[in-house]
Amino acid sequence: MAAPIAAPAAAQSGSAVGFSNAQTTVTQGDVATIDLQLRNTDQATLQIDSANQQYRATLRVRDDDGDGTVSVRANTVRGGTIDDADRFTAGSDADSVELLTESNVADTSTVTALDPGRYNLIVSTDETSVAAVLSVDEPETDRVHTSVIAPNTPAIESETDLATNNSESNTDEAKASTNATDSSLSAARSDRVRTRFGVSGIGGLLESPAPARNLVYASNSAPTADTTHTVQTIPNETVSMRSLTINYGIDDNEPPRGVHQFSQSDIDVIGVDETGDGFVDRSASIAIQNIRTSTDGRMTITFDRPVTVSKNHTLLATYEMRNPDTTGAADVGVTLHGDRSTHRERGTVLYGPAGDGTLGHGVDLRPQTANGDVPTAPLAAVDTTYDPAAGGLVATMDTNAFATGEYTMDFTVGESAPSSVPRVSFSESFAIVEPTAEFTNQSVGDTSQLSVTADTNLAPGGSVIVRVSAEEPNGGISQVLNCVATVESDGSIGCEFDLSKSADNFDIEVSIQRGGTTIVGPTEFN
């Protein structure tokens, strides 16, 4: 139901403000979107008041692009290292939202969420005001749904994607499958495995960048913890690396304890990920020559031969480290020194509860092999999107980066999360197999029309290239024809070709490809 825009009764030409909806509903811990309408004014004040008068936030909103609307994104999570400036933002870069005052925020050391219940919304100018309602509901858990989808399928479509196969389990079943690796769900390499975890109330936490995507990721982010740190950096040009420098002392930051005692025995993994799955494909451990450290937080690993890190490949290094006694984000720098080129990257490492879990604040998502191996960079081949309307947290895994075999996608919410977030542990099993296709009719007729049909294990909606090579015996006409075919819902593929002569005049070979890889063929048609 839309809320009307109110204007002063005596002067309809004056400023007017209102809400697009009389009621906005959000789950506790998620981000509410409050749509405002402004007429004859470019700014207004928005108040968010709890019904019990225990909470009030006052915001200034500005319609900087003059389109008469401002979308306010209000994160219901606050505290910890979450910046207040990031909690209330405009939905469009063309507008602005500023937090002026907020009550009942005495303890900001821990992350909490607004209490469930009714909140009154009041948008006003000096001349007029309008009220609406914000309803904050308790978070829930729902089923887990996993499907195999084609590349480039939008992340948010519906709770059930068009898929070759899918699996669905409720919360109890998903918990029980934590150690399962025997899966009936299979995905052909080059397709995607999409898992929708039915957990709401974590959207506000996921507004911050995922710790596991930082330049350096601490597997245990607790201050002073003995843990491992993982560096991941991707050069934009090929570097023949002769040394690697990791600098924790940028801007006089407190470096991890014992950096100056770092030695080769502390290195667990170092090398290059060439496929993008987060695992090291080419180790550089044998090439380590020496290590230099300093008390200001700098470590340099020198190699006795060039270690080639190609453009868009990832250098990975995991090593033992003790965290400093601090919380929040700390700047860190990584430099790949080469003979002719050098790659430098500056980023962060996150300590404390905000850095706990690959997604932060106790929320952890990672793929795992049947043998229990977790990628050195857990999210390297996993994209994440959060949208409660689409099933909660949506994780999409690029199978093209991985080898064939059995895998699980594991998701947990731990104790670092706000108390309002349900504690869950989900594990979805699936297999990655090679793509296959089988021609269903290899005969040719006495016309110039050639029909090619096949069945495949690729996901519906994906595309393949069907290639026909037709050559007259003893020389003469030679043709190569390509057709882009879409995989149908039943796994079938079909293409029609128009040859220059009757098909039975040619020696014909047909193949099916995707992404430069031949799935089947060349196969003779006769």
Side-chain angles (χ1 to χ4, degrees):
M1 179 175 65
I5 292 181
Q12 293 297 316
S13 62
S15 63
V17 292
F19 295 89
S20 297
N21 300 289
Q23 178 168 323
T24 298
T25 302
V26 66
T27 299
Q28 180 188 30
D30 282 350
V31 178
T33 299
I34 305 167
D35 293 321
L36 306 179
Q37 300 176 10
L38 290 76
R39 181 189 302 160
N40 297 329
T41 182
D42 63 358
Q43 65 178 328
T45 299
L46 175 64
Q47 285 186 195
I48 305 174
D49 299 333
S50 62
N52 62 10
Q53 300 182 342
Q54 296 299 308
Y55 175 82
R56 168 176 287 184
T58 303
L59 314 175
R60 178 185 291 120
V61 301
R62 292 187 61 88
D63 176 19
D64 294 328
D65 62 358
D67 67 351
T69 63
V70 176
S71 181
V72 177
R73 301 182 75 253
N75 193 339
T76 61
V77 173
R78 61 182 179 177
T81 59
I82 298 175
D83 192 336
D84 284 341
D86 297 330
R87 290 176 45 231
F88 298 95
T89 58
S92 168
D93 292 338
D95 300 322
S96 61
V97 174
E98 178 186 3
L99 175 64
L100 300 178
T101 62
E102 188 175 24
S103 65
N104 192 24
V105 289
D107 181 14
T108 60
S109 60
T110 59
V111 176
T112 59
L114 291 182
D115 292 333
R118 173 191 170 112
Y119 291 76
N120 298 315
L121 301 175
I122 302 174
V123 60
S124 62
T125 65
D126 291 338
E127 300 174 314
T128 185
S129 65
V130 174
V133 172
L134 173 66
S135 179
V136 179
D137 296 342
E138 293 185 358
E140 299 177 345
T141 59
D142 199 356
R143 63 189 185 278
V144 180
H145 179 267
T146 300
S147 57
V148 180
I149 57 168
N152 302 319
T153 302
I156 305 301
E157 259 194 353
S158 64
E159 289 198 29
T160 303
D161 298 298
L162 180 67
T164 48
N165 49 51
N166 60 74
S167 68
E168 190 170 293
S169 56
N170 59 33
T171 302
D172 292 336
E173 290 170 341
K175 287 180 179 178
S177 68
T178 298
N179 296 316
T181 57
D182 183 15
S183 171
S184 59
L185 183 71
S186 63
R189 290 187 72 237
S190 77
D191 280 335
R192 306 294 185 262
V193 174
R194 175 163 293 165
T195 304
R196 303 179 185 274
F197 296 98
V199 179
S200 61
I202 60 175
L205 301 177
L206 301 184
E207 286 288 288
S208 302
R213 299 195 193 278
N214 286 338
L215 181 59
V216 176
Y217 169 57
S219 60
N220 180 350
S221 64
T224 73
D226 289 317
T227 183
T228 59
H229 286 194
T230 296
V231 167
Q232 51 184 331
T233 185
I234 304 174
N236 54 14
E237 62 177 331
T238 298
V239 178
S240 296
M241 182 177 61
R242 297 308 299 257
S243 65
L244 166 67
T245 297
I246 305 165
N247 184 8
Y248 286 96
I250 293 178
D251 296 335
D252 297 323
N253 283 333
E254 180 184 354
R257 300 182 175 193
V259 164
H260 63 286
Q261 297 176 330
F262 180 76
S263 67
Q264 185 169 345
S265 63
D266 294 318
I267 300 175
D268 296 335
V269 175
I270 187 168
V272 180
D273 173 13
E274 299 176 331
T275 63
D277 62 357
F279 288 102
V280 167
D281 299 305
R282 180 163 44 87
S283 175
S285 297
I286 195 173
I288 295 175
Q289 186 175 49
N290 61 56
I291 294 175
R292 301 191 308 273
T293 64
S294 64
T295 57
D296 64 358
R298 192 184 304 265
M299 312 184 310
T300 297
I301 303 169
T302 302
F303 303 96
D304 62 10
R305 70 203 72 172
V307 177
T308 301
V309 185
S310 298
K311 178 181 178 180
N312 297 329
H313 287 177
T314 306
L315 176 76
L316 296 173
T318 298
Y319 46 88
E320 308 295 323
M321 189 56 62
R322 176 175 292 182
N323 293 338
D325 189 9
T326 187
T327 59
D331 290 333
V332 61
V334 172
T335 304
L336 280 58
H337 304 273
D339 292 328
R340 297 185 178 181
S341 59
T342 297
H343 169 72
R344 293 182 174 88
E345 184 175 354
R346 180 166 173 167
T348 59
V349 55
L350 193 57
Y351 302 113
D356 183 23
T358 58
L359 300 180
H361 296 283
V363 183
D364 191 85
L365 173 75
R366 61 185 67 205
Q368 183 172 253
T369 70
N371 296 327
D373 295 329
V374 175
T376 302
L379 301 181
V382 180
D383 290 328
T384 57
T385 304
Y386 180 78
D387 189 331
L393 178 67
V394 181
T396 304
M397 177 173 161
D398 181 2
T399 64
N400 209 37
F402 289 83
T404 58
E406 299 279 345
Y407 294 86
T408 62
M409 184 65 73
D410 300 333
F411 175 78
T412 59
V413 176
E415 295 307 312
S416 294
S419 58
S420 59
V421 180
R423 272 39 178 176
V424 297
S425 180
F426 296 148
S427 186
E428 287 289 284
S429 302
F430 58 93
I432 297 177
V433 299
E434 291 293 348
T436 61
E438 182 178 355
F439 295 112
T440 55
N441 183 6
Q442 296 175 222
S443 63
V444 298
D446 57 1
T447 72
S448 63
Q449 297 296 312
L450 175 65
S451 178
V452 176
T453 58
D455 292 330
T456 180
N457 64 347
L458 293 169
S463 61
V464 296
I465 295 176
V466 180
R467 173 168 293 181
V468 168
S469 175
E471 186 172 343
E472 282 188 308
N474 304 317
I477 298 175
S478 177
Q479 293 179 269
V480 176
L481 304 175
N482 292 319
C483 167
V484 178
T486 299
V487 181
E488 301 296 333
S489 58
D490 61 356
S492 64
I493 298 169
C495 271
E496 297 292 331
F497 296 89
D498 189 6
L499 303 178
S500 60
K501 291 183 177 182
S502 175
D504 57 7
N505 289 327
F506 295 96
D507 293 331
I508 296 175
E509 291 185 336
V510 184
S511 60
I512 298 177
Q513 303 175 356
R514 173 185 275 184
T517 300
T518 299
I519 298 173
V520 63
T523 300
E524 292 184 358
F525 274 44
N526 51 48

